[in-house]
Amino acid sequence: MKQSRHDKIAAMRAEQQQRAARKRNLTLTTTVIGVFVIVLAAFFLINRPGEGPSGPQLVRADSHRLQTAADGKVTLVEFLDFECEGCRAYFPVVEELRKEYAGKVTFIARYFPISSHYNAERAARAVEAAARQGQFEGMYKLMYERQTDWAEQRVPADHVFRGYAEQLKLDVAAWDRAYQDPATLARVKQDADDGLALGVEGTPTFFLNGQKIQPRSAEEFKAAIDAALNA
């Protein structure tokens, strides 16, 4: 009888130990799975294409908006070079589209200075320096309207751009500092880097709701925008 009772006690202890071991294993497994899920989620959050802090983005929070549509349904992004003759040719077309689609389409301008254009990067810095004082659009327009004053020359056009800052009645000393600030150049290069990663090879390059388009006329431009608005 004593032996039988002893065996029962031993069996109960063994069963309790097995239960405890199973509970520890279950807890460990649950913890490992939880950690794995968290790590996996973090990986996808960090590496989402076009949305991570280091990934290319078509539109960033600091991208320059020439005008904004309240519903956000249609967005036209242009990668441009102020020394580019093609961009100058499209400038009046874009201005007309802005008037026709005011309140319906968001227009965004992004820098993409071509290295073979001697003053293109300087022009972008000049516009960005003006943007620091809320005059992005004013300087943007002057660059195209006066392009023949400074483009296709192999000498720095700094003094020309400074004259534009004076014409816009900016704080010229502050504009000078911003023009020379490495952060201004970094801002320009951020746009250009995004453009390269998104497949931009020349200027002007347009993206309508994320899709690259190559309109050959104002009519083609309008047709593409109308299709996007009616989608």
Side-chain angles (χ1 to χ4, degrees):
M1 180 67 68
K2 291 183 179 180
Q3 183 62 37
S4 177
R5 183 180 298 172
H6 177 77
D7 290 344
K8 287 181 179 180
I9 293 173
M12 289 175 61
R13 288 178 177 173
E15 184 176 353
Q16 288 175 350
Q17 289 175 350
Q18 288 176 354
R19 287 178 180 176
R22 284 197 297 270
K23 186 176 181 179
R24 286 196 301 271
N25 289 339
L26 180 60
T27 301
L28 180 61
T29 301
T30 303
T31 302
V32 170
I33 291 174
V35 171
F36 176 77
V37 169
I38 292 171
V39 171
L40 188 63
F43 174 81
F44 282 112
L45 179 64
I46 293 171
N47 291 281
R48 282 187 296 180
E51 296 185 11
S54 60
Q57 298 180 52
L58 184 57
V59 178
R60 291 182 178 269
D62 62 353
S63 292
H64 294 298
R65 289 158 173 78
L66 293 168
Q67 62 193 48
T68 302
D71 61 10
K73 182 178 180 180
V74 178
T75 298
L76 180 70
V77 179
E78 178 186 3
F79 283 86
L80 56 84
D81 175 336
F82 292 109
E83 194 169 354
C84 165
E85 290 183 357
C87 294
R88 172 65 184 84
Y90 269 92
F91 168 65
V93 176
V94 173
E95 290 297 289
E96 188 60 35
L97 292 173
R98 287 178 59 194
K99 292 177 184 177
E100 184 165 345
Y101 294 98
K104 298 178 180 179
V105 176
T106 297
F107 288 80
I108 295 176
R110 302 199 66 182
Y111 307 115
F112 197 84
I114 306 297
S115 59
S116 60
H117 292 163
Y118 189 85
N119 279 300
E121 187 178 275
R122 288 181 170 85
R125 284 196 288 121
V127 175
E128 184 61 24
R132 300 264 190 101
Q133 298 185 47
Q135 276 283 12
F136 172 85
E137 186 173 348
M139 188 69 85
Y140 158 92
K141 288 183 174 180
L142 280 176
M143 287 297 176
Y144 285 134
E145 292 168 355
R146 306 283 184 80
Q147 190 188 75
T148 55
D149 293 346
W150 57 270
E152 297 185 6
Q153 300 180 28
R154 306 301 296 178
V155 293
D158 302 344
H159 66 290
V160 178
F161 302 149
R162 194 173 193 273
Y164 296 165
E166 293 172 347
Q167 182 177 334
L168 292 170
K169 301 186 183 306
L170 301 181
D171 179 336
V172 179
W175 181 88
D176 284 337
R177 291 192 295 273
Y179 183 63
Q180 300 296 341
D181 188 347
T184 301
L185 178 58
R187 172 66 182 76
V188 172
K189 287 188 172 181
Q190 175 183 268
D191 272 12
D193 288 345
D194 276 348
L196 286 171
L198 292 165
V200 175
E201 297 177 346
T203 54
T205 293
F206 297 96
F207 289 86
L208 184 63
N209 279 0
Q211 298 297 315
K212 189 187 295 186
I213 62 171
Q214 295 179 306
R216 292 168 293 182
S217 66
E219 288 69 28
E220 287 190 6
F221 234 140
K222 292 177 183 178
I225 292 174
D226 287 340
L229 285 169
N230 294 324

